[in-house]
Amino acid sequence: MTNNNPIGVFDSGIGGTSIWSAIHELLPNEKTIYLADNKNAPYGQRTKEEIVALSKKNVDFLIENNCKLIVVACNTATTNAIRELRADYDIPFIGIEPAIKPAANNSKTQVIGILATQGTLNSELFNKTAEMFQNTTIIEQVGHGLVQLIEDGNLNSPEMTDLLETYLRPMIDANIDYLVLGCSHYPYLIPQIKKILPEHIQIIDSGEAVARQTQNVLREKVGFSDEGESEPVFYANANPSVLKSILDNKYEVIQKDF
Ligand code: DGL
């Protein structure tokens, strides 16, 4: 099955590029369009209704641009809006959720930590999944302020280090052996997180799993492109410079209202 239309990927900002990179690496022949809704970031503090409305607006733009499949590269948007998106649009959606299952199943201490946004941790979808692991103590921590600092380009600031210390120290004291990064922005913090966590604590994020799932859905339902490698397209609806720099200035970022 062949389908040469692009894959659409969206997030509130630059975080979803951690997922986009995994997709681009696994499926280099697929055209991709990435949307950073950074005018409306962060999503994490918003109501479910706002997150659904923003997600639909992003999806409308990607569908206008002929996307064949949409990756919701944002845990907050997935856990609050993917059901509504699937109900309203006739196109496959792939979402990202905190990887509780592999962490809980592999944990020896039966204590795991989850760092995510308020919106994700409050969502019904997240709480239903968490309830399935009654034998594991799940320490939930909202990463207040982290996304804003990343979006402002302050990844390595002393303020970031202080926040991470505050959020991770109680988890270390509670004897976690897995830390789940439940927000697509947080993989960019892994070098700093590693400086705080003892070595035996594993860090998990879901980027590669989402890329593999995208490949499966293309194979089974949508079709792969047969046009060979093509330049990805990036859009931001506010300042494009942080997105550009997280992509190592390798790609142009188009600033456009959507
Ligand atoms: N990167 C997003 C997530 O995975 C959203 C963060 C935000 O905008 O608060 O949750």
Side-chain angles (χ1 to χ4, degrees):
M1 202 179 351
T2 302
N3 188 330
N4 290 322
N5 286 338
I7 295 173
V9 181
F10 79 84
D11 180 34
S12 61
I14 66 171
T17 55
S18 61
I19 318 282
W20 171 84
S21 301
I23 294 171
H24 187 60
E25 200 165 301
L26 186 69
L27 302 162
N29 291 339
E30 294 298 323
K31 285 185 216 137
T32 49
I33 300 180
Y34 183 91
L35 288 194
D37 187 17
N38 55 346
K39 190 170 82 182
N40 297 302
Y43 282 7
Q45 245 73 278
R46 292 181 177 276
T47 63
K48 176 180 168 70
E49 289 69 29
E50 286 175 320
I51 297 165
V52 170
L54 291 170
S55 299
K56 287 188 177 170
K57 163 190 75 63
N58 298 335
V59 166
D60 287 338
F61 182 82
L62 291 169
I63 289 181
E64 276 162 30
N65 284 275
N66 296 322
C67 288
K68 59 182 175 183
L69 170 153
I70 292 177
V71 178
V72 183
C74 173
N75 293 260
T76 311
T78 301
T79 52
N80 285 278
I82 203 157
R83 208 173 48 192
E84 287 77 0
L85 296 177
R86 287 186 172 135
D88 282 14
Y89 297 89
D90 191 18
I91 182 174
F93 287 95
I94 293 173
I96 179 163
E97 287 174 58
I100 305 177
K101 188 174 171 184
N105 286 347
N106 291 306
S107 171
K108 299 215 162 49
T109 60
Q110 291 296 295
V111 188
I112 64 170
I114 312 238
L115 192 59
T117 69
Q118 181 108 53
T120 296
L121 295 177
N122 285 351
S123 69
E124 198 186 320
L125 193 60
F126 171 82
N127 284 291
K128 275 205 173 131
T129 311
E131 270 168 29
M132 286 157 57
F133 299 93
Q134 297 287 347
N135 295 332
T136 303
T137 303
I138 301 176
I139 302 183
E140 297 175 17
Q141 175 64 53
V142 175
H144 292 292
L146 300 180
V147 168
Q148 196 60 57
L149 283 173
I150 297 170
E151 287 294 324
D152 292 343
N154 293 324
L155 258 178
N156 294 308
S157 56
E159 206 182 337
M160 180 67 87
T161 311
D162 286 350
L163 285 180
L164 287 173
E165 275 279 349
T166 311
Y167 299 155
L168 298 176
R169 191 56 57 195
M171 296 189 187
I172 299 168
D173 292 344
N175 203 20
I176 62 161
D177 57 356
Y178 278 85
L179 171 67
V180 177
L181 301 183
C183 171
S184 57
H185 280 72
Y186 300 165
Y188 289 113
L189 301 175
I190 288 176
Q192 299 205 57
I193 291 176
K194 281 194 167 157
K195 284 190 198 148
I196 299 170
L197 292 184
E199 252 177 44
H200 72 276
I201 301 179
Q202 310 273 335
I203 302 170
I204 332 196
D205 76 270
S206 320
E208 278 173 30
V210 171
R212 281 196 302 275
Q213 174 67 0
T214 305
Q215 186 180 40
N216 289 341
V217 174
L218 291 183
R219 186 185 299 115
E220 284 157 24
K221 291 197 188 133
V222 179
F224 292 107
S225 163
D226 66 357
E227 287 187 337
E229 271 185 55
S230 75
E231 269 300 271
V233 179
F234 293 91
Y235 289 102
N237 54 9
N239 182 0
S241 63
V242 180
L243 179 56
K244 218 173 155 185
S245 80
I246 209 94
L247 297 163
D248 295 329
N249 294 309
K250 281 205 309 221
Y251 304 105
E252 278 312 310
V253 176
I254 304 162
Q255 186 168 355
K256 188 175 168 49
D257 219 10
F258 52 81

